[in-house]
Amino acid sequence: MSVLTRRDFGKLGGAAALAVSLPLGAQAAGPKVLRCVMHSGLRITDPIITTAYIARNHGYMIYDTLFAVDEKLQVQPQMVDHWEMSADKLTYSFTLRPGLKFHDGAPVTSADCIASIQRWGKRDGMGQKLMDFTAALTAVDDKSFKLVLKEPYGLVLASLGKPSSNVPFIMPARIAATPADQNVPEEIGSGPFRFVKAEFQPGSKVVYEKNPDYVPRNEPASSLAGGKVVKLDRVEWINITDYQTAVNALANNEIDYIEQPPHDLLPILKSTDKVVVKDYNPLGFVGMCRMNWLLKPFDNVKIRQAVLHAINQQDWADAQIGNPDYSTVTGAMFIAKTPFATEAGFPPKPDPALAKQLLKDGGYDGTPVVIMQPTDLAIVTSLGPVTAQALRNIGMNVDLQSMDWQALVGRRAKQTPVSEGGWNMFHTTWAAADVLNPVANLGVNGRGKTGGWFGWAEDAEIEKQRDAFARETDPAKQKQIAEDVQKRAYEIVTYIPTGQYTMPYAYRDSVSGILAGPAPVFWNLDKKIA
Amino acid sequence: MSRFLLQRLLSTVPVMAIVATIVFLLLRFSAGDPAAILAGDAATPATIAAIRARLGLDQPMAVQLVRWFWQLLHGDLGTSIISNQGVAHLIADRMAPTLALSATTILFAIVVAVPLGVVAAWKHGTIIDRAVMTLSVVGFSMPVFVLGYLWILGFAIRLRWLPVQGFSPLSDGIGPFLAHLVLPTLTLSVIYIALIARITRASVLEVLGEDYIRTARAKGVPERAVLMRHALGNAAVPIVSVIGIGVALLIGGVVVTESVFNLPGLGRLTVDAVLARDYPVIQGIILVFSGVYVLVNLAVDLAYVLLDPRIRY
């Protein structure tokens, strides 16, 4: 009879440890696989029915766009080979590049583009505006189509090249025929990667493989534009909900890339061997403090103005980010250092005395202000308490109500009084690319209860200005109108920007070719395999 | 016996119906609106209302409940509101990591805790007994996530023996499968080791004071046989009860452990579904969990018959 001795047991343990340690981070020569932790798990695969950024990112993997912005935010043709505008600025003609093919093998045709634009135009704010100005969208032949306007519209290319949610991605017409409030039944695009449906675990894992049929443009890649040359065989998005685990996994070479590591973990990442921390999204993100115009006390402009003068944007930045390297104090509603950036209308510094006076002038009667505070969304969590303290400092009653983000999302849609589930204030954040002009920025929408954004600001003058901006085709005049819109927005306080911030990527030093831009993309990326 | 089995199986139907109804009502009364979540940031009230109507969420609650029961009677758990995938498919897809983790945890806990408990009882009042009891108090007191991070720091980051996170299916080989389960199992099993060891100790200690144990010893039965056959055998009923409760409690522990070690199991699916207010998925998972509870309880009851011939059904 053989007996297992203590020494044998030790050997067995060592062998077992060796056996189980083999798969760690090791990637033998073979397919190039990039394992990434994105900011969220992908659950909805239709980037048109949702504004979720993870769905937008997924869209950039499998779909292509007619136009796209480059590093300088200039709109460049992408699927479009060439285009022209008629002398009267009413007709745009587009011709597609040769060789465009969907993942099911079907060629991309004008009919696909038209159906996709029409579906996007039912959901997206800029898309709706474009459709309002559109008289006809017709195919000339399989590769060419025309967009005919009712009157000149200055944002045609900016709309078709919109970089962030909702992006006008092109789908096969049969899929784009899906009602605009229902998820598409198939994930088929003509983009540089293909969706691997068999390995999709909603909220947990998404797998993409290189689309061998994709024909990139000849120009070098630049942000979302240029040649989308894929150098990886496979990209896996693994949703690790616990960021400490994600950071450990990156350090252990089990993953290659984290899209948005939290700011408080950046010092650890920076000191980790073979890990690089770098910002590739210089536009970054922007926060928003939004008041409900339908209910007391913020149905009163004086009281909204009081809030504007009570707050200190630096306090928000300190609480939210806590690192000046990644935050910017700015009143630019259309994003600092971009074409429509201006500080017009933004109070240069907080003025509590003026705020108190405005409260008095507005007849504030002590009505409690219900601030909805999401506790599960770290980047937003800290904004509510800062605002609450600023409001208390000027003598307002505040009821800071904690909830999870989805409870907030459900509640913010309610136009009822607070006693029936309504609310007074919430904070949120946007990708800066979503608010680059007065039409795209929902915070300056003044359409009120029926067509406005949550909070339902209503102002005929600002709507007139936004329409004028949309009609204007001269960039210099557009800039002036954008400034007017911003001044008006601050005057009536449609919202208060809480400041801009950036979130760097963290990745293994074996990864190269990351493109700067408003959305993370995976073409041009390469991975050195040891 | 077979009549008892049939009765118990039949009794699961009303139990699960009650659970299903309570869960359904709790979800409808809780804050959040899946239609608003689906509609996204740019939604207008009209868009949200249209989505609510398409999902049937604008119908009276009774209508929604009856519709769901009708689906269940046809063996259909429904479709996820968010991902548009079948709930049964989603659950089946996430079952393997949770089953693997639960099985290894319970097995490991039993293998470690029962001998510890027996030895502690046998060496009652000695330093061994105190050490086991102290360790069990520590095991009870240590939060799962703290232990998880400590194991990761030690075995994954420092020693690089084991992976930090993830799950490798058995089809990819036994090595990676076990490698990905070692740390989660160590983490999750500690509290069950503590629980089972304490109960085993108390139960064996009580039996060791019985007359028949003294008689067995007086007859010269070897101490190992006294302990394992006479003492442990007769102390087994409460231990099995605790193991049964442990299996049920595992569900809660699995949620945290799956998050710390990024295991794509039912715990993660549950949290995701709750956060997204994905009603059909939450309802489906809870039905499955309640079914598991009922079956585990049934298995425990049947185990009593095997362990104690005095028990008859």
Side-chain angles (χ1 to χ4, degrees):
Chain A
M1 190 180 76
S2 67
V3 178
L4 193 66
T5 65
R6 194 165 54 184
R7 182 167 295 187
D8 290 337
F9 188 77
K11 285 179 190 168
L12 195 65
L18 183 65
V20 296
S21 66
L22 280 176
L24 298 189
Q27 191 178 322
K32 278 188 191 174
V33 182
L34 192 81
R35 297 185 179 91
C36 312
V37 173
M38 305 302 283
H39 70 273
S40 164
L42 180 73
R43 295 170 182 88
I44 301 172
T45 57
D46 186 341
I48 302 302
I49 66 162
T50 177
T51 49
Y53 293 134
I54 192 69
R56 173 204 64 185
N57 300 350
H58 159 77
Y60 276 116
M61 297 297 278
I62 68 167
Y63 300 108
D64 211 346
T65 53
L66 295 173
F67 291 87
V69 294
D70 62 15
E71 277 180 2
K72 294 174 182 160
L73 293 177
Q74 298 299 308
V75 179
Q76 305 291 350
Q78 184 51 239
M79 294 171 80
V80 164
D81 186 59
H82 57 273
W83 66 278
E84 59 188 42
M85 180 175 64
S86 62
D88 61 4
K89 297 182 178 176
L90 287 178
T91 303
Y92 285 73
S93 304
F94 305 103
T95 301
L96 297 173
R97 284 196 286 136
L100 299 177
K101 218 193 275 185
F102 285 114
H103 301 158
D104 61 0
V108 179
T109 65
S110 303
D112 300 313
C113 300
I114 291 170
S116 299
I117 293 169
Q118 285 171 333
R119 184 168 187 262
W120 164 77
K122 288 176 185 157
R123 288 305 295 255
D124 181 70
M126 280 189 81
Q128 288 164 357
K129 200 84 178 167
L130 178 63
M131 291 298 113
D132 286 348
F133 279 82
T134 299
L137 193 55
T138 50
V140 176
D141 56 39
D142 269 1
K143 291 291 169 195
S144 309
F145 62 100
K146 279 184 181 179
L147 187 150
V148 182
L149 298 168
K150 295 171 188 165
E151 57 182 302
Y153 182 61
L155 298 173
V156 173
L157 297 189
S159 302
L160 297 177
K162 188 171 183 253
S164 194
S165 298
N166 300 92
V167 179
F169 292 117
I170 302 303
M171 311 174 169
R174 65 186 169 83
I175 294 176
T178 309
D181 64 348
Q182 287 181 31
N183 202 91
V184 288
E186 293 174 83
E187 291 77 14
I188 293 195
S190 62
F193 290 92
R194 293 191 302 211
F195 181 73
V196 183
K197 189 153 195 152
E199 296 189 52
F200 178 45
Q201 288 187 318
S204 179
K205 186 178 180 186
V206 201
V207 176
Y208 303 94
E209 58 188 17
K210 179 179 181 172
N211 173 13
D213 295 333
Y214 186 76
V215 182
R217 295 186 70 89
N218 293 325
E219 302 93 330
S222 173
S223 187
L224 306 172
K228 298 180 178 179
V229 178
V230 175
K231 299 172 182 173
L232 303 163
D233 297 297
R234 186 176 154 99
V235 177
E236 295 178 2
W237 289 0
I238 302 156
N239 185 25
I240 302 182
T241 49
D242 184 325
Y243 269 109
Q244 185 61 58
T245 302
V247 167
N248 288 334
L250 185 70
N252 219 30
N253 200 18
E254 290 172 41
I255 57 165
D256 304 297
Y257 171 111
I258 304 177
E259 184 200 352
Q260 287 181 5
H263 293 97
D264 55 342
L265 292 178
L266 293 181
I268 297 174
L269 285 163
K270 283 179 178 174
S271 63
T272 303
D273 193 30
K274 294 179 190 281
V275 168
V276 180
V277 175
K278 194 171 173 187
D279 188 15
Y280 286 92
N281 182 358
L283 283 182
F285 304 83
V286 63
M288 181 184 276
C289 170
R290 182 77 166 177
M291 288 170 265
N292 186 349
W293 282 40
L294 302 184
L295 303 182
K296 276 178 74 174
F298 297 134
D299 57 346
N300 184 325
V301 66
K302 294 277 185 202
I303 296 175
R304 293 196 300 273
Q305 288 169 345
V307 176
L308 175 65
H309 289 284
I311 56 92
N312 182 354
Q313 208 183 55
Q314 185 65 54
D315 293 342
W316 273 324
D318 291 344
Q320 185 187 29
I321 309 298
N323 185 339
D325 292 345
Y326 301 109
S327 62
T328 306
V329 171
T330 172
M333 286 180 164
F334 310 119
I335 303 305
K337 297 178 190 167
T338 65
F340 302 120
T342 170
E343 294 288 324
F346 185 61
K349 59 178 185 176
D351 188 343
L354 175 61
K356 285 178 186 169
Q357 185 58 47
L358 284 163
L359 268 192
K360 201 173 164 190
D361 295 348
Y364 177 63
D365 60 1
T367 304
V369 173
V370 172
I371 303 179
M372 298 192 288
Q373 187 209 12
T375 51
D376 59 335
L377 202 58
I379 202 72
V380 184
T381 300
S382 51
L383 296 175
V386 173
T387 310
Q389 190 54 47
L391 300 193
R392 287 183 184 122
N393 288 347
I394 60 167
M396 296 188 83
N397 287 329
V398 179
D399 179 7
L400 188 65
Q401 295 187 4
S402 298
M403 59 193 73
D404 68 80
W405 175 251
Q406 301 300 0
L408 187 154
V409 166
R411 190 168 168 185
R412 75 177 176 182
K414 293 189 175 178
Q415 298 184 337
T416 51
V418 169
S419 58
E420 294 170 30
W423 54 276
N424 296 114
M425 180 186 275
F426 74 96
H427 301 78
T428 188
T429 59
W430 296 87
D434 278 336
V435 295
L436 289 172
N437 66 59
V439 173
N441 188 334
L442 291 171
V444 296
N445 173 318
R447 290 186 182 177
K449 275 179 84 168
T450 48
W453 193 65
F454 310 105
W456 307 285
E458 186 164 10
D459 185 57
E461 188 179 330
I462 207 167
E463 276 305 290
K464 208 189 295 176
Q465 289 170 331
R466 291 176 75 222
D467 280 345
F469 177 88
R471 286 189 179 90
E472 186 53 64
T473 53
D474 178 349
K477 288 181 184 164
Q478 276 186 329
K479 187 168 171 53
Q480 182 54 54
I481 300 171
E483 186 171 319
D484 294 342
V485 170
Q486 181 169 305
K487 275 186 197 162
R488 180 67 182 161
Y490 275 122
E491 189 185 331
I492 57 176
V493 198
T494 60
Y495 77 97
I496 308 171
T498 65
Q500 285 176 223
Y501 61 92
T502 55
M503 299 195 80
Y505 301 164
Y507 54 94
R508 301 285 304 180
D509 62 3
S510 52
V511 177
S512 60
I514 297 176
L515 292 168
V521 292
F522 291 87
W523 55 85
N524 204 55
L525 249 81
D526 206 352
K527 178 179 169 180
K528 193 164 59 188
I529 297 180
Chain B
M1 180 72 163
S2 53
R3 193 175 163 196
F4 165 76
L5 197 62
L6 189 65
Q7 276 178 345
R8 285 293 300 268
L9 285 174
L10 284 175
S11 71
T12 62
V13 177
V15 168
M16 289 178 68
I18 291 168
V19 170
T21 308
I22 292 172
V23 170
F24 181 92
L25 294 175
L26 277 177
L27 286 174
R28 294 318 190 272
F29 285 120
S30 65
D33 179 359
I37 294 167
L38 270 179
D41 272 338
T44 60
T47 311
I48 296 171
I51 294 174
R52 204 174 282 131
R54 180 171 62 76
L55 296 175
L57 298 172
D58 60 340
Q59 299 290 312
M61 220 177 283
V63 173
Q64 294 181 47
L65 182 63
V66 169
R67 190 178 290 159
W68 183 50
F69 272 124
W70 186 250
Q71 274 183 346
L72 289 178
L73 287 173
H74 288 80
D76 179 8
L77 286 177
T79 303
S80 161
I81 290 174
I82 304 297
S83 69
N84 216 24
Q85 296 205 2
V87 173
H89 167 76
L90 284 171
I91 292 174
D93 210 27
R94 301 295 190 90
M95 196 72 96
T98 304
L99 279 182
L101 177 59
S102 304
T104 53
T105 300
I106 285 295
L107 277 176
F108 184 68
I110 293 170
V111 166
V112 174
V114 172
L116 274 181
V118 171
V119 169
W122 182 44
K123 299 288 181 186
H124 173 59
T126 67
I127 192 159
I128 295 174
D129 181 23
R130 287 196 196 103
V132 170
M133 286 305 96
T134 305
L135 285 175
S136 73
V137 170
V138 172
F140 263 132
S141 317
M142 189 77 90
V144 167
F145 59 89
V146 172
L147 257 184
Y149 289 134
L150 286 176
W151 295 139
I152 287 172
L153 184 66
F155 292 103
I157 303 289
R158 294 276 160 82
L159 296 171
R160 296 180 65 80
W161 285 358
L162 294 161
V164 169
Q165 54 83 41
F167 177 73
S168 179
L170 205 47
S171 55
D172 288 355
I174 187 80
F177 173 76
L178 289 176
H180 285 87
L181 282 174
V182 172
L183 295 184
T185 300
L186 279 178
T187 304
L188 190 54
S189 60
V190 165
I191 195 162
Y192 298 104
I193 290 172
L195 179 70
I196 296 168
R198 285 183 77 91
I199 296 295
T200 305
R201 176 187 173 275
S203 190
V204 171
L205 199 58
E206 189 183 333
V207 171
L208 284 176
E210 296 288 340
D211 290 344
Y212 58 83
I213 296 291
R214 196 183 319 124
T215 305
R217 281 176 173 154
K219 284 168 69 180
V221 176
E223 193 61 14
R224 181 188 292 183
V226 169
L227 275 176
M228 302 310 289
R229 194 188 307 159
H230 298 291
L232 186 59
N234 285 295
V237 168
I239 298 170
V240 168
S241 298
V242 167
I243 292 171
I245 293 167
V247 172
L249 290 175
L250 254 180
I251 303 295
V254 155
V255 171
V256 179
T257 311
E258 286 184 0
S259 290
V260 171
F261 292 98
N262 191 37
L263 296 172
L266 288 175
R268 286 273 308 277
L269 183 64
T270 309
V271 174
D272 273 3
V274 169
L275 289 176
R277 305 298 188 271
D278 198 343
Y279 296 158
V281 177
I282 305 170
Q283 290 164 182
I285 294 171
I286 292 183
L287 265 190
V288 169
F289 283 168
S290 60
V292 169
Y293 286 161
V294 170
L295 291 178
V296 166
N297 277 321
L298 181 59
V300 168
D301 286 348
L302 293 177
Y304 290 162
V305 178
L306 299 174
L307 294 168
D308 188 344
R310 291 168 300 182
I311 298 175
R312 290 278 183 276
Y313 296 119

